[in-house]
Amino acid sequence: MSHAAEPAPSNPAASNPGETDQDDARLASLGYQPQLHRVLGLFANFSVAFTYLSPMVGIYSLFVLGLGTGGPAYIWLNFIPIIGMLFVALVFGELASHYPVAGALYQYSKFSVGPGYGWFVGWFYGFALLITVAAVDTGVVGYFAALTHNWFHWNLDPSDHFTILWITVLLLLIQTILNITGAQVMGRVAQFGVYVEIVGTFGIAIILAIHGFHHGLGYLFTTQGVTHAATNPLALDFHGSWLGAALIAVLAPVYIYYGFESAGDISEETKDAGRQVPRAMRLAVIWGGIGSIVLTAALLLAIPGDGAKGVGDAVAGGVPSILGQLPSGVQDFLLLMIIFAFFSCGTSIQGAGSRLLFSYSRDEALPASSWLSRVHSRFGTPVNALIAGAVVTVLFVLLVFASPAQDKHFLFITYPGGVNALVALVSFGVSGIYLSFLLTVIAAWVARARGWVPEGRFTLGRWGTTVTVIATLYLGLMLINVVLPTGLSSPRAYFNLDWITLLVMFVIAVVGAIYFFSARPDRGVRHHLHDELEPTGSERAAPPETPPETPA
């Protein structure tokens, strides 16, 4: 029996009952009764997607690696993932408009190809989300330690395992409580996070400009010697090749531009989801790209010193060495904003992941599905899914304690000493996202080949096939670039620990395959493939009354 058949809680949502009725009617045509509260508008939906993508978190985490591998000119590599992911967002937007269901990529793949295929997409995507929450929340520790030192003269060691654990668990507890209390709360946290991102990107760029840049715009087109081992601040050797450096440096922005798909994870809580979710996806990529480029440019132009030495000092000191030129009060304010950016990013990812877990379990795809798919009658949130996700995230955080002092060898694989297991697992946060994205775009291919005609509020029209081709090529090529094992001494090791990334992917795939073929969760998923817009016999249900919109 479908868990969606339980009585739906009252929905305090909607300012426009007709709009909500249309959303809920489409959900019913897919075989589900509304259970979550439809309370989010376009800005709230966009905010969740944008704060997950989070230019601030991405730049402050990866600026040093981008600069150290590509020099100031690495800024232009941002356009590759921005444009590539914009094509992906168009494909996802068409799917999200046709299938406005919580769980996003899992649901799109399930309806497009089949229950088994969809289950594996959900499996990879779910692990990637949970791992990303752990990565983001542990990433705040260094900034929290710096702020508490400035304010309270605490001397927290951000590399201490127990310090990482208690700060992360505290942060996760607050995020979970807020997410439990309703989608509106999650949306408000994300909306405030957007304002923080605006100040932390455009605001900081303006402040740095007023304080005075040290370089002209031409500086952004230079490499400052990073292509040669003698002048590379990370002691990397690209043998003078900018292409070789660019293939590695592009991974810094690649690790930023995803998360926009979370707009689809909260479709069942979004009003006019068929129209607004695709818009939110596109806007998150576009504005995330603009914010990232503006902040990156400002940081680069504000680097003190000239030539390779200036770049070397910036890589050694990181973003704080650049912002250290600002008054101490501004620095503390910025630290506070960075901490909130990490907090809102983790909150949005956790919220999206819990909706995937809810959607997955509602289709009887996991053990304890009945418990995991329960929705709180008052808050309208999947409380059990949130709690379960938080527990798994804590288990991932505990992996910081697994840190061998010496290199460990197994067959042709070497695990480097001094690297904790969470760092190794985090590599799957990006590769798992790209894998699930690629599988979903392939699912769109399969659907079109089978004669699927998009009938949502947003369609690509005659451009559908072309857009899907470009999205597939981008995801396929970049996934190879993300996971390619080239040795621990390779420059790529700063992003990818040789064979470790592929090993993590392999282990997650094997564990999933063992569960899949022993428990056969696809049998439960198979009961939830109803869609009145798909052909049944010789008839097709009437299309929506509102004509679809197509991209300009």
Side-chain angles (χ1 to χ4, degrees):
M1 292 293 293
S2 168
H3 301 299
E6 298 174 8
S10 60
N11 187 342
S15 56
N16 187 339
E19 189 178 85
T20 299
D21 289 344
Q22 186 177 22
D23 289 328
D24 290 347
R26 176 57 182 142
L27 194 60
S29 74
L30 292 167
Y32 299 108
Q33 287 189 5
Q35 291 178 276
L36 307 176
H37 290 173
R38 200 175 291 276
V39 293
L40 303 178
L42 171 61
F43 182 53
N45 184 280
F46 158 78
S47 297
V48 170
F50 183 78
T51 52
Y52 178 174
L53 186 149
S54 187
M56 281 184 69
V57 171
I59 297 300
Y60 291 126
S61 298
L62 297 162
F63 176 80
V64 164
L65 294 180
L67 178 62
T69 52
Y74 102 91
I75 186 175
W76 306 112
L77 298 174
N78 278 272
F79 286 100
I80 296 175
I82 291 172
I83 295 171
M85 281 304 196
L86 189 55
F87 280 98
V88 176
L90 289 171
V91 175
F92 286 0
E94 189 174 56
L95 290 165
S97 188
H98 191 91
Y99 303 113
V101 188
L105 309 189
Y106 155 66
Q107 292 286 357
Y108 309 157
S109 302
K110 177 192 80 175
F111 280 112
S112 297
V113 178
Y117 188 91
W119 187 90
F120 272 101
V121 171
W123 179 259
F124 291 126
Y125 183 49
F127 264 100
L129 287 176
L130 291 171
I131 291 168
T132 303
V133 173
V136 169
D137 283 3
T138 54
V140 81
V141 174
Y143 297 104
F144 181 82
L147 186 65
T148 55
H149 175 76
N150 293 348
W151 284 5
F152 309 114
H153 304 293
W154 295 358
N155 292 310
L156 298 175
D157 180 3
S159 63
D160 178 74
H161 297 155
F162 285 102
T163 301
I164 294 172
L165 180 62
W166 77 259
I167 293 176
T168 304
V169 170
L170 177 62
L171 187 66
L172 189 62
L173 178 63
I174 298 171
Q175 290 167 331
T176 305
I177 292 172
L178 289 174
N179 271 323
I180 283 175
T181 53
Q184 273 186 321
V185 176
M186 175 181 67
R188 285 169 183 162
V189 170
Q191 287 171 331
F192 188 73
V194 170
Y195 300 131
V196 169
E197 293 278 352
I198 292 172
V199 175
T201 53
F202 296 99
I204 292 302
I206 293 171
I207 291 172
L208 288 171
I210 292 173
H211 188 268
F213 289 143
H214 296 280
H215 308 281
L217 291 177
Y219 184 74
L220 302 180
F221 295 88
T222 67
T223 63
Q224 298 298 315
V226 298
T227 59
H228 299 280
T231 49
N232 185 284
L234 297 174
L236 305 177
D237 190 2
F238 295 106
H239 306 287
S241 169
W242 163 241
L243 177 61
L247 285 173
I248 310 300
V250 73
L251 294 178
V254 159
Y255 276 48
I256 297 175
Y257 300 111
Y258 60 90
F260 59 86
E261 81 289 345
S262 59
D265 286 311
I266 54 175
S267 285
E268 292 182 37
E269 292 149 292
T270 302
K271 292 173 278 188
D272 195 14
R275 183 183 298 275
Q276 305 300 5
V277 169
R279 286 180 178 174
M281 289 182 177
R282 301 194 299 272
L283 289 171
V285 176
I286 292 169
W287 283 107
I290 293 173
S292 295
I293 290 173
V294 167
L295 177 59
T296 302
L299 291 172
L300 290 169
L301 296 176
I303 291 176
D306 295 321
K309 185 180 185 308
V311 170
D313 291 342
V315 169
V319 174
S321 69
I322 300 173
L323 301 177
Q325 308 166 70
L326 303 176
S328 58
V330 176
Q331 294 180 46
D332 286 350
F333 177 66
L334 180 57
L335 280 172
L336 193 60
M337 287 195 302
I338 293 173
I339 290 170
F340 190 85
F342 274 86
F343 173 76
S344 62
C345 178
T347 302
S348 293
I349 302 170
Q350 187 197 52
S354 67
R355 272 58 177 185
L356 169 65
L357 188 55
F358 158 75
S359 183
Y360 216 39
S361 301
R362 182 175 56 180
D363 284 359
E364 306 168 50
L366 289 172
S369 285
S370 179
W371 181 79
L372 288 169
S373 62
R374 289 177 190 167
V375 174
H376 195 281
S377 59
R378 176 184 173 187
F379 300 133
T381 52
V383 174
N384 295 340
L386 280 161
I387 294 172
V391 170
V392 173
T393 300
V394 171
L395 294 177
F396 287 152
V397 174
L398 288 173
L399 292 174
V400 298
F401 290 91
S403 182
Q406 305 295 328
D407 289 357
K408 299 294 182 181
H409 304 280
F410 176 73
L411 299 177
F412 56 87
I413 298 173
T414 298
Y415 188 93
V419 176
N420 70 65
L422 178 59
V423 172
L425 192 63
V426 164
S427 65
F428 182 78
V430 178
S431 58
I433 288 289
Y434 266 76
L435 176 61
S436 54
F437 275 28
L438 178 60
L439 292 174
T440 304
V441 171
I442 291 173
W445 268 104
V446 173
R448 289 184 185 280
R450 291 176 174 175
W452 173 63
V453 179
E455 296 189 29
R457 304 285 291 278
F458 171 81
T459 68
L460 296 172
R462 67 181 185 276
W463 294 102
T465 299
T466 302
V467 170
T468 306
V469 168
I470 297 172
T472 304
L473 289 173
Y474 168 74
L475 290 170
L477 292 173
M478 202 54 70
L479 178 60
I480 293 172
N481 195 29
V482 167
V483 303
L484 188 67
T486 52
L488 291 175
S489 60
S490 164
R492 193 181 302 277
Y494 279 92
F495 295 94
N496 171 18
L497 298 173
D498 196 28
W499 287 94
I500 302 299
T501 302
L502 283 174
L503 178 62
V504 172
M505 292 178 68
F506 176 75
V507 170
I508 290 175
V510 168
V511 172
I514 291 172
Y515 174 73
F516 182 85
F517 289 109
S518 60
R520 295 308 304 268
D522 57 317
R523 292 171 181 167
V525 176
R526 199 177 299 277
H527 298 153
H528 304 272
L529 286 171
H530 178 69
D531 181 4
E532 290 180 359
L533 288 185
E534 295 302 306
T536 54
S538 59
E539 298 180 347
R540 176 184 290 273
E545 295 180 2
T546 305
E549 65 173 75
T550 55

